[in-house]
Amino acid sequence: AGIFLSSGKVAHAYTTVDSYIPSDTTWTKENSPYVITGSVTIPSTATLTIEPGVIVKFKRGDNWMQILGTLIVDGILKADATPQDPIYFTSFSDDTVGGDTNGDGDATLPASSGYPNPLGNGIQLTNSISPSILNNVYIKYNYTALTIKDGNHQITNAHLIDNSKGIWMEGGNIEVTNAEIKVPDYYGGYGVYFYTPQLPNSSLIIRDSKISARQGIVVGGGNFKLLNSEIDNNEFSGSIGITISSDTKAVLSGNIFRGFYDAALRIYSGSLDLQSNTFISNKFAAISYYGGTLTSDGKNTADSAFLLGGIPNNLTLTKEFIYVVRAPATVSSIATLTINPGVIVKFDRLYDY
């Protein structure tokens, strides 16, 4: 049976969730879709199990505060689905799954990037002891798809599509495998934001994944590995594949970086080990270097420049890149610049007038 609205349009039946989930609960396909209205919390003593095929939609709260629909997981979330029967976390305005839940036909459409403001803020994982599971899930049309504040959670086969931010990580030790993250091209949209300068033991490993965003990955602090993945953009102005800063310990191995406007990789500080990466069709630079410790296996390839913005730390230039200086690049008094035999360094002006 539908819910009939005064407009004459029909809203598909759904289950509303608008309060605390006090005990172990299972969301079933039979009672799907579930609509999270405002902020809903799973306490540390409870587990929410979501069956394959369930659709969850986010909706702003009905009170004057209009809080974004958010699932806060202080306990455990088990969303373990299959490719044939995935779990969806999407907007109340998304009619493509679960039907026309809000009953307005095409009057409202799901929106990401805040145009208009999204209805949801996705899932927040906070449990530092017991891991949650997200497998074969779609998270769409949120301000932030997945926020990780702490813990060791399992994220596999996740599709984070058309959210303003894909993964926002403030702590914990996370491994993401076979993920698809697509963020619309607008300023401020991050594929992954991992900034934990006060938590040196935090870690993020991303493997066998594809990320498409104007700001692909921003890393500051902790331990970061990107393995056998693709990071791309369509040369949108200001786009950068990965930005590395603070005391990050980073390893990039077997990846493809494609189509960034400013740089595929920008490093300010920390340590970075490059192993067999490919940089293709990046407009101004494959790599922009401003500081940090850089090592390489000598097997990286690039069809655009390695920009030297300054040499505050010891740095060795190897034959795998063509180096370009477009502005004064100073070797600091405590650094040594080593240029291996056969290396090419070119000088260019910063702007063409």
Side-chain angles (χ1 to χ4, degrees):
I3 299 173
F4 290 89
L5 306 179
S6 59
S7 65
K9 297 198 170 90
V10 177
H12 290 237
Y14 59 84
T15 303
T16 297
V17 184
D18 58 4
S19 62
Y20 189 72
I21 299 174
S23 58
D24 291 353
T25 301
T26 298
W27 288 358
T28 65
K29 194 171 181 179
E30 179 183 8
N31 292 318
S32 176
Y34 291 80
V35 174
I36 292 177
T37 303
S39 179
V40 171
T41 299
I42 304 168
S44 60
T45 55
T47 297
L48 173 62
T49 301
I50 302 179
E51 292 182 347
V54 166
I55 296 162
V56 180
K57 296 191 176 185
F58 294 105
K59 178 178 179 288
R60 285 180 179 270
D62 294 326
N63 61 20
W64 65 271
M65 294 179 67
Q66 293 281 292
I67 295 173
L68 293 175
T70 309
L71 182 60
I72 300 173
V73 185
D74 295 335
I76 299 173
L77 173 63
K78 293 182 178 179
D80 191 2
T82 67
Q84 296 76 24
D85 212 11
I87 294 167
Y88 283 86
F89 298 88
T90 187
S91 170
F92 188 56
S93 300
D94 184 1
D95 299 344
T96 64
V97 290
D100 183 12
T101 315
N102 61 0
D104 68 350
D106 295 331
T108 57
L109 298 174
S112 58
S113 312
Y115 303 112
N117 290 329
L119 302 179
N121 199 27
I123 301 168
Q124 296 182 12
L125 303 178
T126 71
N127 193 322
S128 62
I129 299 172
S130 301
S132 288
I133 298 171
L134 290 169
N135 179 39
N136 287 299
V137 300
Y138 284 80
I139 308 178
K140 303 176 69 176
Y141 305 120
N142 291 276
Y143 181 70
T144 302
L146 182 60
T147 301
I148 299 165
K149 295 183 177 292
D150 205 349
N152 304 287
H153 308 291
Q154 301 173 35
I155 302 166
T156 53
N157 307 305
H159 305 267
L160 313 183
I161 309 296
D162 285 342
N163 305 280
S164 297
K165 298 174 177 64
I167 296 175
W168 186 280
M169 185 171 170
E170 301 173 6
N173 298 278
I174 305 298
E175 184 163 344
V176 178
T177 302
N178 196 32
E180 176 190 22
I181 302 175
K182 291 184 178 180
V183 176
D185 280 328
Y186 88 106
Y187 189 75
Y190 300 101
V192 178
Y193 190 91
F194 172 48
Y195 194 76
T196 59
Q198 307 304 319
L199 299 170
N201 294 322
S202 62
S203 65
L204 173 62
I205 300 173
I206 301 175
R207 66 173 76 245
D208 303 321
S209 296
K210 185 170 183 179
I211 300 172
S212 180
R214 186 172 178 180
Q215 304 293 325
I217 303 173
V218 174
V219 183
N223 302 278
F224 173 68
K225 291 184 179 181
L226 182 69
L227 310 173
N228 303 317
S229 296
E230 292 187 29
I231 315 295
D232 65 32
N233 190 254
N234 58 2
E235 288 194 5
F236 199 92
S237 179
S239 59
I240 301 171
I242 300 181
T243 301
I244 296 174
S245 64
S246 298
D247 293 323
T248 304
K249 297 177 179 64
V251 176
L252 309 181
S253 178
N255 306 293
I256 297 173
F257 299 85
R258 181 187 292 109
F260 289 94
Y261 189 91
D262 282 13
L265 173 61
R266 180 174 288 176
I267 176 170
Y268 291 101
S269 58
S271 65
L272 172 62
D273 185 19
L274 294 172
Q275 303 173 5
S276 303
N277 300 284
T278 302
F279 300 85
I280 304 172
S281 301
N282 299 289
K283 186 173 180 62
F284 281 112
I287 300 173
S288 293
Y289 174 85
Y290 296 93
T293 302
L294 183 64
T295 57
S296 167
D297 66 354
K299 298 179 181 179
N300 300 280
T301 60
D303 61 4
S304 52
F306 185 125
L307 289 183
L308 294 171
I311 299 94
N313 309 100
N314 293 341
L315 180 66
T316 298
L317 308 188
T318 60
K319 288 179 65 175
E320 60 195 318
F321 298 107
I322 302 295
Y323 298 87
V324 173
V325 177
R326 287 205 178 108
T330 301
V331 181
S332 78
S333 61
I334 60 171
T336 298
L337 176 63
T338 302
I339 303 178
N340 283 352
V343 165
I344 297 171
V345 180
K346 296 185 177 183
F347 296 90
D348 191 11
R349 58 188 174 188
L350 184 59
Y351 299 107
D352 288 326
Y353 296 96

PDB file of all heavy atoms in Angstrom, residues 181-194:
ATOM      1  N   ILE A 181      35.249   5.533  -6.194  1.00  0.00           N
ATOM      2  CA  ILE A 181      34.908   6.812  -5.573  1.00  0.00           C
ATOM      3  C   ILE A 181      34.863   7.864  -6.675  1.00  0.00           C
ATOM      4  O   ILE A 181      35.871   8.110  -7.342  1.00  0.00           O
ATOM      5  CB  ILE A 181      35.924   7.213  -4.486  1.00  0.00           C
ATOM      6  CG1 ILE A 181      35.999   6.132  -3.404  1.00  0.00           C
ATOM      7  CG2 ILE A 181      35.547   8.562  -3.883  1.00  0.00           C
ATOM      8  CD1 ILE A 181      37.065   6.377  -2.353  1.00  0.00           C
ATOM      9  N   LYS A 182      33.689   8.466  -6.875  1.00  0.00           N
ATOM     10  CA  LYS A 182      33.526   9.502  -7.897  1.00  0.00           C
ATOM     11  C   LYS A 182      32.910  10.737  -7.252  1.00  0.00           C
ATOM     12  O   LYS A 182      31.797  10.681  -6.724  1.00  0.00           O
ATOM     13  CB  LYS A 182      32.628   9.017  -9.039  1.00  0.00           C
ATOM     14  CG  LYS A 182      33.243   7.926  -9.899  1.00  0.00           C
ATOM     15  CD  LYS A 182      32.323   7.569 -11.062  1.00  0.00           C
ATOM     16  CE  LYS A 182      32.948   6.511 -11.962  1.00  0.00           C
ATOM     17  NZ  LYS A 182      32.064   6.153 -13.099  1.00  0.00           N
ATOM     18  N   VAL A 183      33.666  11.838  -7.306  1.00  0.00           N
ATOM     19  CA  VAL A 183      33.210  13.104  -6.723  1.00  0.00           C
ATOM     20  C   VAL A 183      33.059  14.120  -7.849  1.00  0.00           C
ATOM     21  O   VAL A 183      33.951  14.260  -8.687  1.00  0.00           O
ATOM     22  CB  VAL A 183      34.218  13.615  -5.677  1.00  0.00           C
ATOM     23  CG1 VAL A 183      33.806  14.981  -5.145  1.00  0.00           C
ATOM     24  CG2 VAL A 183      34.335  12.615  -4.529  1.00  0.00           C
ATOM     25  N   PRO A 184      31.943  14.840  -7.898  1.00  0.00           N
ATOM     26  CA  PRO A 184      31.762  15.832  -8.960  1.00  0.00           C
ATOM     27  C   PRO A 184      32.865  16.883  -8.952  1.00  0.00           C
ATOM     28  O   PRO A 184      33.452  17.192  -7.911  1.00  0.00           O
ATOM     29  CB  PRO A 184      30.401  16.466  -8.625  1.00  0.00           C
ATOM     30  CG  PRO A 184      29.710  15.455  -7.780  1.00  0.00           C
ATOM     31  CD  PRO A 184      30.781  14.762  -7.005  1.00  0.00           C
ATOM     32  N   ASP A 185      33.150  17.453 -10.108  1.00  0.00           N
ATOM     33  CA  ASP A 185      34.214  18.446 -10.258  1.00  0.00           C
ATOM     34  C   ASP A 185      33.758  19.810  -9.757  1.00  0.00           C
ATOM     35  O   ASP A 185      33.212  20.613 -10.488  1.00  0.00           O
ATOM     36  CB  ASP A 185      34.635  18.556 -11.725  1.00  0.00           C
ATOM     37  CG  ASP A 185      35.571  17.441 -12.122  1.00  0.00           C
ATOM     38  OD1 ASP A 185      36.338  16.985 -11.265  1.00  0.00           O
ATOM     39  OD2 ASP A 185      35.524  17.018 -13.283  1.00  0.00           O
ATOM     40  N   TYR A 186      33.957  20.029  -8.494  1.00  0.00           N
ATOM     41  CA  TYR A 186      33.743  21.375  -7.969  1.00  0.00           C
ATOM     42  C   TYR A 186      34.769  21.587  -6.862  1.00  0.00           C
ATOM     43  O   TYR A 186      35.300  20.661  -6.281  1.00  0.00           O
ATOM     44  CB  TYR A 186      32.317  21.559  -7.443  1.00  0.00           C
ATOM     45  CG  TYR A 186      32.136  21.159  -6.004  1.00  0.00           C
ATOM     46  CD1 TYR A 186      31.994  22.117  -4.998  1.00  0.00           C
ATOM     47  CD2 TYR A 186      32.132  19.818  -5.637  1.00  0.00           C
ATOM     48  CE1 TYR A 186      31.856  21.734  -3.680  1.00  0.00           C
ATOM     49  CE2 TYR A 186      31.990  19.438  -4.327  1.00  0.00           C
ATOM     50  CZ  TYR A 186      31.850  20.407  -3.340  1.00  0.00           C
ATOM     51  OH  TYR A 186      31.727  20.028  -2.040  1.00  0.00           O
ATOM     52  N   TYR A 187      35.072  22.855  -6.571  1.00  0.00           N
ATOM     53  CA  TYR A 187      36.141  23.146  -5.622  1.00  0.00           C
ATOM     54  C   TYR A 187      35.770  22.674  -4.221  1.00  0.00           C
ATOM     55  O   TYR A 187      34.707  22.967  -3.711  1.00  0.00           O
ATOM     56  CB  TYR A 187      36.429  24.645  -5.588  1.00  0.00           C
ATOM     57  CG  TYR A 187      37.673  24.981  -4.798  1.00  0.00           C
ATOM     58  CD1 TYR A 187      38.928  24.747  -5.329  1.00  0.00           C
ATOM     59  CD2 TYR A 187      37.567  25.488  -3.516  1.00  0.00           C
ATOM     60  CE1 TYR A 187      40.063  25.036  -4.606  1.00  0.00           C
ATOM     61  CE2 TYR A 187      38.700  25.776  -2.786  1.00  0.00           C
ATOM     62  CZ  TYR A 187      39.953  25.548  -3.331  1.00  0.00           C
ATOM     63  OH  TYR A 187      41.071  25.818  -2.607  1.00  0.00           O
ATOM     64  N   GLY A 188      36.653  21.944  -3.585  1.00  0.00           N
ATOM     65  CA  GLY A 188      36.404  21.455  -2.240  1.00  0.00           C
ATOM     66  C   GLY A 188      36.001  20.001  -2.183  1.00  0.00           C
ATOM     67  O   GLY A 188      35.877  19.436  -1.103  1.00  0.00           O
ATOM     68  N   GLY A 189      35.766  19.376  -3.344  1.00  0.00           N
ATOM     69  CA  GLY A 189      35.369  17.986  -3.337  1.00  0.00           C
ATOM     70  C   GLY A 189      36.573  17.066  -3.243  1.00  0.00           C
ATOM     71  O   GLY A 189      37.482  17.116  -4.069  1.00  0.00           O
ATOM     72  N   TYR A 190      36.610  16.223  -2.230  1.00  0.00           N
ATOM     73  CA  TYR A 190      37.714  15.287  -2.024  1.00  0.00           C
ATOM     74  C   TYR A 190      37.248  13.862  -2.297  1.00  0.00           C
ATOM     75  O   TYR A 190      36.179  13.461  -1.857  1.00  0.00           O
ATOM     76  CB  TYR A 190      38.228  15.345  -0.585  1.00  0.00           C
ATOM     77  CG  TYR A 190      38.739  16.682  -0.141  1.00  0.00           C
ATOM     78  CD1 TYR A 190      37.960  17.524   0.642  1.00  0.00           C
ATOM     79  CD2 TYR A 190      40.025  17.109  -0.483  1.00  0.00           C
ATOM     80  CE1 TYR A 190      38.427  18.756   1.066  1.00  0.00           C
ATOM     81  CE2 TYR A 190      40.513  18.337  -0.064  1.00  0.00           C
ATOM     82  CZ  TYR A 190      39.698  19.157   0.707  1.00  0.00           C
ATOM     83  OH  TYR A 190      40.169  20.376   1.130  1.00  0.00           O
ATOM     84  N   GLY A 191      38.099  13.079  -2.974  1.00  0.00           N
ATOM     85  CA  GLY A 191      37.845  11.657  -3.031  1.00  0.00           C
ATOM     86  C   GLY A 191      38.082  11.023  -1.673  1.00  0.00           C
ATOM     87  O   GLY A 191      37.213  10.358  -1.110  1.00  0.00           O
ATOM     88  N   VAL A 192      39.277  11.271  -1.124  1.00  0.00           N
ATOM     89  CA  VAL A 192      39.656  10.777   0.202  1.00  0.00           C
ATOM     90  C   VAL A 192      40.409  11.885   0.933  1.00  0.00           C
ATOM     91  O   VAL A 192      41.318  12.498   0.363  1.00  0.00           O
ATOM     92  CB  VAL A 192      40.556   9.529   0.103  1.00  0.00           C
ATOM     93  CG1 VAL A 192      40.991   9.064   1.489  1.00  0.00           C
ATOM     94  CG2 VAL A 192      39.833   8.401  -0.632  1.00  0.00           C
ATOM     95  N   TYR A 193      40.025  12.137   2.176  1.00  0.00           N
ATOM     96  CA  TYR A 193      40.715  13.123   3.011  1.00  0.00           C
ATOM     97  C   TYR A 193      41.170  12.392   4.271  1.00  0.00           C
ATOM     98  O   TYR A 193      40.358  11.997   5.107  1.00  0.00           O
ATOM     99  CB  TYR A 193      39.779  14.277   3.346  1.00  0.00           C
ATOM    100  CG  TYR A 193      40.455  15.456   4.004  1.00  0.00           C
ATOM    101  CD1 TYR A 193      40.973  16.504   3.254  1.00  0.00           C
ATOM    102  CD2 TYR A 193      40.569  15.529   5.389  1.00  0.00           C
ATOM    103  CE1 TYR A 193      41.584  17.594   3.857  1.00  0.00           C
ATOM    104  CE2 TYR A 193      41.180  16.615   6.001  1.00  0.00           C
ATOM    105  CZ  TYR A 193      41.682  17.643   5.233  1.00  0.00           C
ATOM    106  OH  TYR A 193      42.294  18.717   5.840  1.00  0.00           O
ATOM    107  N   PHE A 194      42.474  12.216   4.397  1.00  0.00           N
ATOM    108  CA  PHE A 194      43.070  11.468   5.523  1.00  0.00           C
ATOM    109  C   PHE A 194      44.070  12.393   6.206  1.00  0.00           C
ATOM    110  O   PHE A 194      45.205  12.516   5.784  1.00  0.00           O
ATOM    111  CB  PHE A 194      43.746  10.198   4.975  1.00  0.00           C
ATOM    112  CG  PHE A 194      44.556   9.423   5.974  1.00  0.00           C
ATOM    113  CD1 PHE A 194      44.060   9.103   7.222  1.00  0.00           C
ATOM    114  CD2 PHE A 194      45.834   8.964   5.644  1.00  0.00           C
ATOM    115  CE1 PHE A 194      44.802   8.376   8.129  1.00  0.00           C
ATOM    116  CE2 PHE A 194      46.589   8.233   6.536  1.00  0.00           C
ATOM    117  CZ  PHE A 194      46.079   7.934   7.783  1.00  0.00           C
TER     118      PHE A 194
END
